């Protein structure tokens, strides 16, 4: 986490945010190799609703830029919404859809209305062994494909191929495009920002970062320990 | 029979007295009877604690103990909340 050791990042986060961390996943150490392991940074409202997320490790400049975007967009949304929660949510989701278009060259229709959710306390809801309901896997909004009004959309898509976690994504007509982790975060946030962090983290960690959520300790696996000791012994 | 038993009891008493004398001698010559550890235990620097914080864990960011505590402070101080979800041990840079 070199970004968090940066003076400017620390100063900005301490000024505008109250920070905390949670362990949500683990990884394996096989021999000397680390398998899995990741980080997701959430920017939330004080009631735990997620405004934005950064998936995976990033440099100090990127984290600072994203933190500043959250603060500035929150100020604008508060001015625009004037104590109307529905308008605030719609503003944020549209802002994410706008960033997906401008920075990743793909368009989605921001979902500004949440359908009623299932009854989580019902007898038919799935639960883990401790009795808690399972973290849901949210559906991403359908992609409309590239933004044809922007000439640079194709160039953005070419650049997206080099982004962290870049992999294929399909639009609603079956067109094949490329989207990295951060593009996928904007796609998710265009439909689900301002939802509680407990409903979002599973999708971010499992669907975007491809990590399995777990609270198990780190597993150290050394499949052939005698190879190392024999080499040492000569 | 009684004489043999008395000899055995006397022998036992003498051997335990000799053991105590050896222990006392080791204390007198300044050496500790308890073996010292191979390496001295390094004192870990305590995490920096600001008002309401639980430390920075080697970063420039002050972290609170739990997200709910951070949320309470954010509400009180009119701030937003920053939550990190990590795999492994946050304190150890190898694990994050």
């Amino acid at each position: 986490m070199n970004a968090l050791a940066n003076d400017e990042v620390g100063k900005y986060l301490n000024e505008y945010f109250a920070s905390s961390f949670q362990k949500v996943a683990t990884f394996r150490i096989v021999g000397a190799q680390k398998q899995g392991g990741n980080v997701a940074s959430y920017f939330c409202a004080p009631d735990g609703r997620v405004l934005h997320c950064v998936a995976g490790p990033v440099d100090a400049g990127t984290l600072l830029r994203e933190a500043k975007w959250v603060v500035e967009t929150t100020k604008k949304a508060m001015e625009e919404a004037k104590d109307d929660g529905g308008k605030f949510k719609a503003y944020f989701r549209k802002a994410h859809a706008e960033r997906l278009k401008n920075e990743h060259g793909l368009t989605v229709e921001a979902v500004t209305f949440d359908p009623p959710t299932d009854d989580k306390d019902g007898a038919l809801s799935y639960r883990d062994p401790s009795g808690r309901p399972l973290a849901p896997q949210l559906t991403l909004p359908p992609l409309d494909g590239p933004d044809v009004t922007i000439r640079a959309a194709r160039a953005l898509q070419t650049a997206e191929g080099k982004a962290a976690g870049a992999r294929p994504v399909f639009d609603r007509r079956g067109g094949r495009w490329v989207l990295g982790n951060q593009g996928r975060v904007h796609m998710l946030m265009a439909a689900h920002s301002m939802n509680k962090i407990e409903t979002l983290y599973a999708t971010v960690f499992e669907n975007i970062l491809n990590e399995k959520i777990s609270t198990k300790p780190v597993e150290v696996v050394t499949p052939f320990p005698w190879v190392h000791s024999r080499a040492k012994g000569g | 029979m009684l004489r043999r038993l008395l000899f055995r009891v006397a022998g036992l008493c003498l051997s335990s007295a000799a053991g105590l004398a050896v222990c006392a001698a080791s204390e007198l010559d300044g050496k500790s009877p308890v073996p010292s550890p191979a390496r001295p235990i390094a004192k870990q620097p305590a995490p920096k604690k600001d008002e309401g914080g639980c430390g920075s864990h080697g970063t420039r960011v002050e972290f609170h103990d739990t997200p709910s505590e951070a949320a309470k402070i954010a509400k009180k101080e009119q701030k937003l909340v920053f939550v990190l979800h990590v795999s492994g041990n946050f304190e150890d840079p190898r694990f994050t």
Side-chain angles (χ1 to χ4, degrees):
Chain A
M1 291 305 295
N2 293 330
L4 297 178
N6 181 279
D7 287 332
E8 208 179 341
V9 171
K11 193 181 165 195
Y12 193 83
L13 288 179
N14 290 336
E15 190 177 347
Y16 289 99
F17 296 87
S19 309
S20 185
F21 66 88
Q22 283 179 305
K23 185 190 166 188
V24 295
T26 189
F27 59 88
R28 286 157 58 93
I29 296 173
V30 181
Q33 289 285 318
K34 181 179 161 188
Q35 293 182 353
N38 225 317
V39 61
S41 315
Y42 294 88
F43 300 97
C44 308
D47 61 357
R49 291 171 193 267
V50 179
L51 301 166
H52 186 33
C53 166
V54 176
V58 291
D59 59 16
T62 308
L63 189 64
L64 188 62
R65 182 165 53 91
E66 298 298 329
K68 283 182 177 174
W69 180 81
V70 171
V71 172
E72 295 307 317
T73 311
T74 304
K75 283 180 186 170
K76 284 180 199 164
M78 283 168 78
E79 277 176 23
E80 189 88 13
K82 292 185 174 61
D83 290 336
D84 185 335
K87 278 186 186 170
F88 186 92
K89 181 166 69 179
Y91 188 94
F92 242 92
R93 290 182 181 182
K94 282 177 186 168
H96 279 289
E98 195 69 19
R99 281 194 72 183
L100 181 67
K101 186 173 84 175
N102 294 340
E103 294 173 19
H104 306 274
L106 295 174
T107 58
V108 288
E109 186 73 37
V111 180
T112 54
F113 174 76
D114 286 330
T117 51
D118 296 336
D119 178 20
K120 283 177 185 166
D121 296 326
L124 293 177
S125 63
Y126 288 104
R127 287 166 193 282
D128 71 5
S130 69
R132 292 177 304 181
L134 298 180
Q137 302 285 327
L138 301 173
T139 315
L140 300 182
L143 265 184
D144 292 327
D147 177 23
V148 289
T149 61
I150 298 179
R151 282 186 182 179
R154 292 272 175 182
L156 283 173
Q157 267 295 289
T158 310
E160 191 65 21
K162 293 169 189 164
R167 50 195 188 276
V169 65
F170 296 92
D171 66 25
R172 62 170 88 216
R173 286 166 296 198
R176 190 173 184 271
W177 310 99
V178 178
L179 206 52
N181 286 342
Q182 208 47 39
R184 284 167 196 270
V185 164
H186 287 304
M187 205 173 151
L188 175 72
M189 293 292 159
H192 301 289
S193 67
M194 290 303 291
N195 278 351
K196 291 269 187 187
I197 194 166
E198 55 262 33
T199 63
L200 279 163
Y201 83 98
T203 311
V204 172
F205 238 79
E206 295 202 349
N207 292 6
I208 294 177
L209 293 172
N210 288 324
E211 300 283 347
K212 195 77 186 159
I213 289 171
S214 163
T215 50
K216 284 181 186 171
V218 176
E219 188 183 352
V220 181
V221 182
T222 311
F224 309 111
W226 59 87
V227 173
H228 186 61
S229 59
R230 200 174 286 171
K232 258 189 173 177
Chain B
M1 187 68 187
L2 185 65
R3 193 177 288 170
R4 274 186 190 175
L5 192 64
L6 278 171
F7 273 127
R8 278 182 189 175
V9 169
L12 278 172
C13 289
L14 274 173
S15 65
S16 59
L20 281 171
V22 168
C23 287
S26 71
E27 279 170 19
L28 284 174
D29 67 4
K31 287 177 187 172
S32 170
V34 181
S36 59
R39 281 181 299 169
I41 299 162
K43 195 181 175 185
Q44 295 292 325
K48 193 184 165 187
K49 275 207 170 196
D50 278 353
E51 199 179 327
C54 77
S56 57
H57 300 282
T59 70
R60 297 286 178 191
V61 181
E62 283 300 315
F63 287 100
H64 298 280
D65 284 330
T66 59
S68 54
E69 193 186 314
K72 274 182 202 164
I73 286 159
K75 203 169 187 178
K76 193 176 142 193
E77 297 179 2
Q78 301 268 302
K79 286 181 175 180
L80 297 173
V81 180
F82 178 67
V83 180
L84 274 179
H85 277 183
V86 295
S87 55
N89 300 332
F90 182 76
E91 292 83 356
D92 191 337
R94 286 188 309 141
F95 290 171
T96 49

